[in-house]
Amino acid sequence: MEAVVAETPRVKVAALCGSLRKGSYNRGLVRSAIELSKSINGLEIEYIDIEPLPMLNTDLEGEGTFPTAVEAFRQKIKEADSILFASPECNYSVSAPLKNAIDWASRPPNVCADKAAAIVSASGGSGGKRSQYHLRQIGVFLDLHFINKPEFFLNAREPPTKFDGNGNLVDESVKEKLKEILISLHAFTLRLQGKLEK
């Protein structure tokens, strides 16, 4: 009699990048995460573009409706099991496009609530630590549940070069750290959903 192998539950991750620049390092982290996820059984990452979102303005809301781009964005977040934030640091905090996307997602009904989340950052200096701290504070109000460890802060300007000229992550040791984040997010999401014991 053949043994029955339990199928790993699927986890769908919505990946948001706080930088709109095509060659941004944080966008490079998302691309790398998508590629790495292919080697993690049960993990699926979809990049959600926040550039089409208008600036938050409640005058744009109707009776329970939102602008088309916002509706599409909110639906993607709602369908996801968890969220991966690639958050650059701007003036010691999160970027304006990322905060705008989060604010749209949080409009009633809040489509972020009770989801697992993780943050990765590539910036100069501290590698985005302060932006991550602020993002975690925002997450408290949104009822997001961030993984605590491992953490991922990358000083993108510190040699040797971690990215190529197109913003693609090329450092293998950094890729391994990024994969650890994804594995942790996958497991934590399943625990929150009651599909995996601690």
Side-chain angles (χ1 to χ4, degrees):
M1 187 174 180
E2 291 185 11
V4 177
V5 179
E7 185 178 334
T8 303
R10 187 175 68 102
V11 169
K12 189 173 182 180
V13 180
L16 306 180
C17 178
S19 174
L20 303 184
R21 190 171 66 86
K22 301 303 180 190
S24 83
Y25 296 144
N26 285 280
R27 191 170 290 205
L29 291 179
V30 170
R31 285 194 298 271
S32 187
I34 291 171
E35 190 60 33
L36 290 167
S37 70
K38 296 173 183 176
S39 65
I40 302 172
N41 190 21
L43 188 66
E44 176 189 330
I45 301 177
E46 181 182 2
Y47 168 64
I48 312 299
D49 190 5
I50 64 174
E51 188 169 4
L53 298 175
M55 288 299 293
L56 181 73
N57 179 353
T58 54
D59 288 343
L60 299 177
E61 297 179 27
E63 287 295 326
T65 63
F66 298 91
T68 303
V70 175
E71 288 278 13
F73 167 73
R74 285 172 54 86
Q75 187 60 33
K76 289 287 188 182
I77 300 300
K78 184 178 180 180
E79 292 170 355
D81 298 298
S82 55
I83 304 172
L84 175 66
F85 294 96
S87 179
E89 185 172 307
C90 298
N91 298 322
Y92 282 20
S93 190
V94 297
S95 68
L98 184 56
K99 181 61 166 62
N100 184 58
I102 291 169
D103 289 345
W104 274 123
S106 71
R107 295 296 298 157
N110 172 17
V111 293
C112 293
D114 294 323
K115 295 186 187 293
I119 319 170
V120 295
S121 296
S123 289
S126 68
K129 290 178 181 177
R130 288 168 292 226
S131 73
Q132 289 200 21
Y133 179 66
H134 279 188
L135 187 48
R136 286 178 182 274
Q137 288 179 307
I138 294 167
V140 171
F141 184 77
L142 299 185
D143 292 321
L144 276 170
H145 306 288
F146 285 100
I147 62 170
N148 291 324
K149 294 181 179 67
E151 295 178 302
F152 187 102
F153 314 111
L154 179 62
N155 185 336
R157 299 189 188 123
E158 190 176 69
T161 303
K162 311 292 192 302
F163 298 86
D164 65 17
N166 295 315
N168 296 310
L169 183 63
V170 293
D171 188 296
E172 292 301 323
S173 64
V174 174
K175 286 183 181 181
E176 281 302 311
K177 292 177 181 177
L178 181 56
K179 187 173 181 178
E180 289 173 9
I181 291 283
L182 301 179
I183 291 170
S184 179
L185 177 61
H186 181 243
F188 185 52
T189 303
L190 293 178
R191 284 204 301 274
L192 280 181
Q193 295 176 340
K195 297 175 182 176
L196 184 70
E197 292 184 10
K198 188 172 182 181

